[in-house]
Amino acid sequence: MKFPKRYVIVLLTFICTNVCYIERVGFSIAYTVAADAVGTNQANKGMILSMFYYGYVLSQIPGGWAAQRVGGRLVLLLSFVLWSLICAVVPLDPNRVILLVLSRLLVGVAQGLIFPSIHTVLAQWVPPQERSRSVSLTTSGMYLGAACGMLLLPSLVKHMGPQSVFSVEAMLGVAWLLIWFKFASDPPRTDLPKVASKDKMKAQAGGVVAPRTVKIPWGRILFSPPIWAIVVNNFTFHYALYVLMNWLPTYFKLGLQLSLQDMGSSKMLPYLNMFLFSNIGGVLADHLITRKILSVTKTRKLLNTVGFVISAIALMALPLFRTPSGAIFCSSVSLGFLALGRAGFAVNHMDVAPKFAGIVMGISNTAGTLAGIVGVGLTGRILEAAKASNMDLTSSESWRTVFFVPGYLCIFSSFIFLIFSTGEKIFE
């Protein structure tokens, strides 16, 4: 039996997000080592780490518009060409601040094109009955990439230096774009996703995007309460994710006096848990919907609420645990249930606006990127304020605010999604 083309597309987008998050985690690890070696303070580290998100926020909505107009396949190619080239040529020198700021801004701009393009591609190829697990598999590549980065890259930095991380990331980016160029394609505009005949009527309900010449209903999208429910939860998800992704290495090193190189495979568990729970959430959501156990709306609300509330509890418990195993456990639970929640708010883009999925994702991910700017930079300032108050960064008190802020946001966002979200299509 011929392997369906839509499965190839989903697999390639999974690898795409995997490679992108290896790059993001890799920079955090390599830069932390290089910056600590020259005595860079925590506020300046937070500034450099957050520069990626300033670039990322600039290209979210333009990326969705470009994917709608010229096709997500070509926009993804452009993204990988740009950020891979930057990784290949830019030196990782903490003393060359302007160069690092500009390079991280450009990498952010390039990678900001990725998720709006992916949602456009998946909306073209994936029928509604496969939507949750396809999106969950694709996004789970982020977490597997982060897990692989946390497992492998600290040793690479230790033995070959921080710059070696950039070289490896550039090679991975080039390898993916060559595979994507060879195997990916846009479906003919008149074709339905390649599904069994009994599913074709379902595919017609949401498996293709709007024609490239259609007028985008910007006003209705921007003032829609269900869209804002997605936006708020995307902001919170990424606030928690980016704070943990960028500051866990520092928390292990300064808060718990642990070296990433000496932690073995345990340091990858939080992201591996995200990979597992993301796919569990996708399969569970599709099961509940296709078996008509719950409506689409109730399924999205259930998984979003369970994921975010349990994640909040684990986040607020994290600074109370002063052992490596306790910190790994809490961060694993928090990130795992955050990923489960993606089967709620993240797939909801294609429920409410399947024909404009890239546009809505661009708007939503803009909020998620602002969370990175706010959360990563704010965390650095919180820690500097703790030091200025003569608090020891090895104490739990110094880190309590860092983890309580995303915890409270998770609880607030879950209520917003319960009240305002829907699983019904509201944009034709």
Side-chain angles (χ1 to χ4, degrees):
M1 181 181 296
K2 184 179 179 181
F3 196 65
K5 184 61 177 284
R6 71 185 187 281
Y7 293 169
V8 175
I9 296 296
V10 171
L11 178 60
L12 290 178
T13 58
F14 163 78
I15 299 171
C16 168
T17 59
N18 192 311
V19 172
C20 290
Y21 267 65
I22 289 175
E23 191 282 329
R24 298 190 200 185
V25 170
F27 179 81
S28 176
I29 293 170
Y31 174 71
T32 296
V33 171
D36 287 346
V38 298
T40 303
N41 67 39
Q42 302 306 314
N44 286 337
K45 282 170 63 178
M47 184 267 293
I48 294 295
L49 290 170
S50 66
M51 279 299 110
F52 171 92
Y53 305 106
Y54 283 96
Y56 199 66
V57 75
L58 293 175
S59 56
Q60 291 294 316
I61 296 176
W65 177 87
Q68 186 81 28
R69 295 303 183 191
V70 304
R73 183 178 68 90
L74 292 178
V75 177
L76 279 175
L77 276 175
L78 174 64
S79 167
F80 268 73
V81 168
L82 179 57
W83 75 255
S84 299
L85 180 63
I86 293 170
C87 286
V89 301
V90 173
L92 180 56
D93 183 353
N95 293 316
R96 301 177 69 176
V97 175
I98 294 178
L99 180 62
L100 275 181
V101 166
L102 290 176
S103 66
R104 293 312 292 169
L105 278 171
L106 287 175
V107 171
V109 168
Q111 292 203 14
L113 303 172
I114 289 172
F115 283 96
S117 300
I118 284 176
H119 273 66
T120 300
V121 169
L122 293 180
Q124 288 177 316
W125 282 101
V126 178
Q129 68 272 19
E130 298 176 4
R131 188 172 289 156
S132 298
R133 60 181 178 269
S134 295
V135 173
S136 294
L137 177 63
T138 293
T139 55
S140 73
M142 301 187 300
Y143 320 132
L144 186 60
C148 292
M150 288 293 287
L151 178 64
L152 301 174
L153 295 182
S155 296
L156 183 66
V157 171
K158 181 178 181 180
H159 296 293
M160 300 186 66
Q163 188 66 47
S164 62
V165 172
F166 274 23
S167 300
V168 169
E169 290 168 352
M171 288 188 288
L172 288 173
V174 170
W176 183 87
L177 71 88
L178 291 175
I179 295 171
W180 182 252
F181 181 78
K182 179 175 177 59
F183 293 105
S185 65
D186 291 324
R189 306 302 296 180
T190 57
D191 280 6
L192 294 171
K194 305 303 185 286
V195 293
S197 58
K198 66 180 181 180
D199 291 328
K200 283 191 176 179
M201 292 303 292
K202 292 181 181 179
Q204 279 183 307
V208 291
V209 297
R212 295 173 185 176
T213 56
V214 75
K215 184 178 180 180
I216 299 168
W218 289 105
R220 289 178 57 216
I221 289 174
L222 292 174
F223 290 98
S224 168
I227 297 297
W228 278 100
I230 297 171
V231 168
V232 169
N233 280 266
N234 201 327
F235 179 93
T236 295
F237 173 88
H238 284 96
Y239 188 105
L241 174 62
Y242 290 153
V243 165
L244 289 174
M245 180 183 296
N246 286 279
W247 287 100
L248 266 182
T250 300
Y251 178 67
F252 287 138
K253 183 176 181 179
L254 298 182
L256 300 179
Q257 302 292 294
L258 295 171
S259 168
L260 283 179
Q261 289 87 345
D262 298 330
M263 289 178 64
S265 60
S266 64
K267 58 182 173 286
M268 71 178 288
L269 291 179
Y271 303 107
L272 185 59
N273 216 37
M274 290 194 88
F275 169 74
L276 295 173
F277 272 72
S278 178
N279 286 290
I280 290 170
V283 172
L284 179 59
D286 279 347
H287 175 78
L288 293 173
I289 293 167
T290 57
R291 297 295 180 91
K292 301 188 184 302
I293 299 172
L294 291 176
S295 67
V296 175
T297 299
K298 290 181 179 178
T299 298
R300 301 292 180 231
K301 290 184 177 184
L302 172 66
L303 292 174
N304 196 86
T305 303
V306 170
F308 274 54
V309 170
I310 295 179
S311 178
I313 295 170
L315 274 169
M316 291 187 282
L318 179 56
L320 304 178
F321 286 80
R322 306 303 299 159
T323 63
S325 59
I328 290 293
F329 173 77
C330 284
S331 56
S332 297
V333 170
S334 178
L335 289 176
F337 277 90
L338 269 180
L340 183 77
R342 284 191 71 95
F345 81 90
V347 189
N348 202 217
H349 299 86
M350 291 196 287
D351 295 326
V352 299
K355 293 182 179 180
F356 303 102
I359 297 292
V360 177
M361 184 60 185
I363 295 170
S364 172
N365 236 26
T366 297
T369 308
L370 289 172
I373 295 172
V374 173
V376 176
L378 178 62
T379 299
R381 289 191 288 273
I382 289 172
L383 294 176
E384 282 299 309
K387 288 175 63 178
S389 301
N390 297 317
M391 295 177 67
D392 189 347
L393 292 187
T394 61
S395 70
S396 61
E397 288 294 324
S398 301
W399 290 89
R400 184 166 294 175
T401 303
V402 169
F403 298 118
F404 270 49
V405 170
Y408 288 135
L409 281 173
C410 283
I411 294 172
F412 170 76
S413 299
S414 67
F415 279 106
I416 294 295
F417 199 80
L418 274 174
I419 296 169
F420 294 109
S421 68
T422 180
E424 303 300 318
K425 183 164 60 175
I426 58 177
F427 295 102
E428 296 293 338

